[in-house]
Amino acid sequence: MQLGLIGLGKMGGNMATRLRRAGHEVVGFDHHPEKRDVDSLEALVGALAAPRVVWVMVPAGEPTRATIRELRDLLGEGDVVIDGGNSKYTDDQVNADLLAERGIGYLDCGVSGGVWGLENGYALMVGGSAEDVEKVRPVFDDLKPPSPHDERGEPMPGIGFVHAGPVGAGHYAKMVHNGIEYALMQAYGEGYELLAAVDLVEDVPGVIASWTQGTVIRSWLLDLLVKALQEDPRLDRIRGYAEDSGEGRWTVMEAIDNAVPMPTIAASLFARFSSRQEDSPTMKAVAALRNQFGGHAVHAIEAGGSTELEKPA
């Protein structure tokens, strides 16, 4: 089928390639001239036959909202717009209502797979009406991973794709997915640090690689940690600084609003905040308090470095 794809970065560009390999006609637009097939959104819409399907893969927030506002004035009744970025789920109903004024359908699609999705396929979590989902079904089928087969040789349904619910459900599911991802990465990172901190374990990368088969903690994330340690066994080339793209924060905020205990995911989010501090103000306060109540040594910062000081008698 035909598809207009807006945003041909790492994810969008690979998605376009995967779909073209599967026989779909993809018309791509990007702000970088060397990546795009057409020079404007108007030209992209003009290159598609009605009813049109346009997939938006641009940064969440105002870039996505502005793109959807522009598409509203270019598309018509029966067309469908898909937001495949990491938009906050509360944006989805606003976008859907805006497009509905012109009879344009809207789907929100959480996409997971990263740069590996080109070869492995993407996990797709979709929100919207069943009618609009079916209009895009051929694209979803070829973006997701191939379905494994059961003992009778029949394809197992539902692998890599879910119609999660009405508008907003897809991005909500992806938000929770990313919150879980935060916690998994934090646990692997903490385990790595403990192994590396002791002299007893002589082959840390080997231990972690041994976990990738036959253990209950094996996962694709663990495979990627093994790959990273193969390239840099002590991770000497990487600074311990981790950004967060929003979904972890939104997950914790939703947990608070719904009174759902979420200590592990919350702790992994706060750990990312800690990673950005050269010298933690919290730990400065802790050191000062220990010094005040117990006379414990503190390290004073001087022009030439740090010096251990004792509390005066």
Side-chain angles (χ1 to χ4, degrees):
M1 65 176 286
Q2 272 192 327
L3 178 76
L5 184 55
I6 302 169
L8 301 171
K10 291 178 181 178
M11 285 277 282
N14 282 347
M15 288 167 63
T17 299
R18 184 175 175 86
L19 288 171
R20 285 169 176 149
R21 288 178 180 175
H24 298 278
E25 180 186 348
V26 179
V27 181
F29 173 76
D30 193 274
H31 287 300
H32 295 87
E34 69 277 7
K35 295 181 179 180
R36 64 195 185 198
D37 303 310
V38 292
D39 295 333
S40 66
L41 294 188
E42 185 175 5
L44 180 142
V45 171
L48 301 174
R52 306 169 186 87
V53 175
V54 179
W55 193 307
V56 180
M57 287 295 291
V58 301
E62 186 54 29
T64 293
R65 290 190 290 266
T67 301
I68 289 174
R69 288 195 299 268
E70 189 171 350
L71 287 172
R72 175 191 179 277
D73 296 329
L74 295 172
L75 296 171
E77 187 169 354
D79 295 341
V80 176
V81 172
I82 307 161
D83 177 8
N86 282 327
S87 295
K88 191 173 183 180
Y89 79 96
T90 49
D91 285 353
D92 291 318
Q93 193 60 59
V94 176
N95 292 334
D97 290 344
L98 182 72
L99 294 171
E101 294 172 0
R102 295 286 303 274
I104 304 166
Y106 177 83
L107 298 173
D108 54 285
C109 183
V111 182
S112 182
V115 296
W116 300 89
L118 173 59
E119 300 300 331
N120 298 337
Y122 300 89
L124 307 170
M125 297 146 268
V126 181
S129 74
E131 180 183 1
D132 287 335
V133 168
E134 288 309 310
K135 289 180 182 179
V136 191
R137 178 73 67 174
V139 167
F140 293 146
D141 285 344
D142 286 320
L143 281 175
K144 71 180 183 65
S147 296
H149 291 71
D150 61 22
E151 63 276 5
R152 297 173 297 175
E154 296 294 328
M156 296 174 64
I159 304 300
F161 169 85
V162 61
H163 181 193
V167 167
H171 280 147
Y172 198 98
K174 179 59 163 41
M175 175 190 72
V176 176
H177 166 282
N178 282 23
I180 293 169
E181 182 182 287
Y182 276 43
L184 289 172
M185 288 192 286
Q186 184 69 22
Y188 286 136
E190 290 174 4
Y192 164 78
E193 181 174 357
L194 180 57
L195 289 171
V198 300
D199 294 330
L200 183 63
V201 178
E202 297 179 346
D203 184 3
V204 174
V207 169
I208 292 175
S210 76
W211 294 343
T212 61
Q213 299 294 323
T215 74
V216 296
I217 63 167
R218 64 189 184 274
S219 73
W220 183 44
L221 279 175
L222 188 63
D223 294 342
L224 293 178
L225 179 56
V226 170
K227 183 176 184 294
L229 291 171
Q230 288 172 343
E231 297 169 355
D232 184 6
R234 296 177 59 86
L235 302 181
D236 292 326
R237 300 196 299 268
I238 301 174
R239 182 184 168 202
Y241 182 105
E243 284 286 3
D244 68 287
S245 56
E247 296 92 335
R249 298 184 188 210
W250 303 338
T251 304
V252 172
M253 291 164 64
E254 282 293 307
I256 293 169
D257 288 345
N258 290 280
V260 174
M262 198 169 277
T264 305
I265 292 176
S268 68
L269 173 65
F270 296 146
R272 294 197 182 193
F273 298 162
S274 297
S275 78
R276 302 168 204 166
Q277 297 176 331
E278 294 288 347
D279 195 11
S280 167
T282 298
M283 297 316 297
K284 285 185 178 186
V286 170
L289 286 168
R290 293 183 74 248
N291 179 252
Q292 290 294 324
F293 74 69
H296 301 288
V298 296
H299 291 259
I301 300 175
E302 298 181 350
S306 64
T307 304
E308 185 172 88
L309 299 177
E310 296 288 347
K311 181 180 181 295

